[in-house]
Short mmCIF file of all heavy atoms in Angstrom, two decimals:
data_model
loop_
_atom_site.label_atom_id
_atom_site.label_comp_id
_atom_site.label_asym_id
_atom_site.label_seq_id
_atom_site.Cartn_x
_atom_site.Cartn_y
_atom_site.Cartn_z
N GLY A 260 165.28 171.98 100.22
CA GLY A 260 166.31 171.50 99.37
C GLY A 260 165.90 171.43 97.90
O GLY A 260 166.66 171.81 97.01
N PHE A 261 164.60 171.04 97.63
CA PHE A 261 164.09 171.05 96.36
C PHE A 261 163.99 172.49 95.83
O PHE A 261 164.27 172.80 94.57
CB PHE A 261 162.65 170.35 96.32
CG PHE A 261 162.20 170.07 94.99
CD1 PHE A 261 163.00 169.84 93.87
CD2 PHE A 261 160.79 170.14 94.72
CE1 PHE A 261 162.57 169.61 92.57
CE2 PHE A 261 160.28 169.85 93.46
CZ PHE A 261 161.12 169.64 92.33
N ALA A 262 163.51 173.45 96.66
CA ALA A 262 163.49 174.84 96.23
C ALA A 262 164.85 175.35 95.82
O ALA A 262 165.10 175.93 94.77
CB ALA A 262 162.94 175.75 97.35
N ALA A 263 165.91 174.94 96.59
CA ALA A 263 167.30 175.38 96.27
C ALA A 263 167.70 174.76 95.05
O ALA A 263 168.51 175.37 94.23
CB ALA A 263 168.22 174.96 97.46
N SER A 264 167.30 173.55 94.80
CA SER A 264 167.77 172.89 93.48
C SER A 264 167.26 173.51 92.24
O SER A 264 167.88 173.45 91.13
CB SER A 264 167.36 171.38 93.49
OG SER A 264 166.06 171.30 93.19
N ALA A 265 166.10 174.25 92.45
CA ALA A 265 165.33 174.74 91.17
C ALA A 265 165.48 176.31 91.14
O ALA A 265 165.42 176.80 89.95
CB ALA A 265 163.92 174.35 91.22
N TYR A 266 165.63 176.98 92.25
CA TYR A 266 165.57 178.40 92.12
C TYR A 266 166.76 178.95 91.29
O TYR A 266 167.96 178.64 91.61
CB TYR A 266 165.64 179.11 93.50
CG TYR A 266 165.46 180.69 93.43
CD1 TYR A 266 164.34 181.15 93.06
CD2 TYR A 266 166.52 181.45 93.70
CE1 TYR A 266 164.13 182.59 93.01
CE2 TYR A 266 166.42 182.82 93.68
CZ TYR A 266 165.17 183.32 93.28
OH TYR A 266 165.06 184.72 93.20
N GLN A 267 166.52 179.64 90.25
CA GLN A 267 167.51 180.19 89.31
C GLN A 267 168.52 179.09 88.89
O GLN A 267 169.65 179.24 88.82
CB GLN A 267 168.27 181.39 89.92
CG GLN A 267 167.28 182.51 90.20
CD GLN A 267 167.88 183.83 90.23
OE1 GLN A 267 169.04 184.11 89.84
NE2 GLN A 267 167.20 184.82 90.81
N ARG A 268 167.93 177.91 88.65
CA ARG A 268 168.63 176.64 88.31
C ARG A 268 169.57 176.10 89.35
O ARG A 268 170.50 175.32 89.05
CB ARG A 268 169.44 176.80 86.96
CG ARG A 268 168.54 177.19 85.91
CD ARG A 268 169.06 176.91 84.58
NE ARG A 268 168.06 177.38 83.51
CZ ARG A 268 168.08 178.63 82.91
NH1 ARG A 268 168.99 179.61 83.32
NH2 ARG A 268 167.22 178.96 81.97
N GLY A 269 169.44 176.57 90.61
CA GLY A 269 170.22 175.95 91.67
C GLY A 269 171.05 176.96 92.50
O GLY A 269 171.88 177.71 92.03
N ILE A 270 170.70 177.00 93.73
CA ILE A 270 171.45 177.90 94.74
C ILE A 270 171.86 177.07 95.95
O ILE A 270 171.23 175.99 96.22
CB ILE A 270 170.62 179.01 95.18
CG1 ILE A 270 169.36 178.73 96.00
CG2 ILE A 270 170.36 180.02 93.98
CD1 ILE A 270 168.61 179.95 96.53
N PRO A 271 172.87 177.44 96.71
CA PRO A 271 173.37 176.61 97.83
C PRO A 271 172.25 176.57 98.97
O PRO A 271 171.49 177.48 99.15
CB PRO A 271 174.58 177.34 98.36
CG PRO A 271 174.97 178.35 97.31
CD PRO A 271 173.69 178.60 96.47
N PHE A 272 172.35 175.47 99.73
CA PHE A 272 171.47 175.46 100.95
C PHE A 272 172.13 174.68 102.02
O PHE A 272 173.10 173.87 101.85
CB PHE A 272 170.06 174.86 100.62
CG PHE A 272 169.91 173.40 100.56
CD1 PHE A 272 169.16 172.80 101.64
CD2 PHE A 272 170.50 172.56 99.71
CE1 PHE A 272 169.00 171.33 101.66
CE2 PHE A 272 170.40 171.22 99.70
CZ PHE A 272 169.56 170.64 100.76
N ILE A 273 171.66 174.92 103.26
CA ILE A 273 172.22 174.39 104.50
C ILE A 273 171.04 173.70 105.16
O ILE A 273 169.98 174.17 105.26
CB ILE A 273 172.89 175.57 105.36
CG1 ILE A 273 174.14 176.10 104.67
CG2 ILE A 273 173.10 175.08 106.82
CD1 ILE A 273 174.62 177.32 105.34
N GLN A 274 171.43 172.57 105.81
CA GLN A 274 170.40 171.85 106.59
C GLN A 274 170.59 172.05 108.05
O GLN A 274 171.68 171.77 108.59
CB GLN A 274 170.54 170.31 106.36
CG GLN A 274 169.91 169.92 104.98
CD GLN A 274 168.52 169.53 104.90
OE1 GLN A 274 167.78 169.96 105.82
NE2 GLN A 274 168.09 168.85 103.83
N ILE A 275 169.63 172.53 108.82
CA ILE A 275 169.60 172.63 110.30
C ILE A 275 168.42 171.81 110.71
O ILE A 275 167.37 172.20 111.03
CB ILE A 275 169.57 174.01 110.75
CG1 ILE A 275 170.63 174.95 110.25
CG2 ILE A 275 169.68 173.93 112.30
CD1 ILE A 275 170.80 176.29 110.81
N PRO A 276 168.67 170.47 110.89
CA PRO A 276 167.59 169.54 111.23
C PRO A 276 167.28 169.65 112.69
O PRO A 276 168.13 169.69 113.62
CB PRO A 276 168.11 168.17 110.90
CG PRO A 276 169.68 168.30 110.99
CD PRO A 276 169.92 169.72 110.68
N THR A 277 165.85 169.64 112.97
CA THR A 277 165.46 169.80 114.37
C THR A 277 164.66 168.66 114.90
O THR A 277 164.19 168.77 116.05
CB THR A 277 164.69 171.13 114.61
OG1 THR A 277 163.51 171.18 113.77
CG2 THR A 277 165.57 172.42 114.24
#
Side-chain angles (χ1 to χ4, degrees):
F261 189 32
S264 78
Y266 186 69
Q267 299 202 16
R268 301 200 181 92
I270 60 173
F272 86 111
I273 290 170
Q274 288 273 17
I275 306 187
T277 61

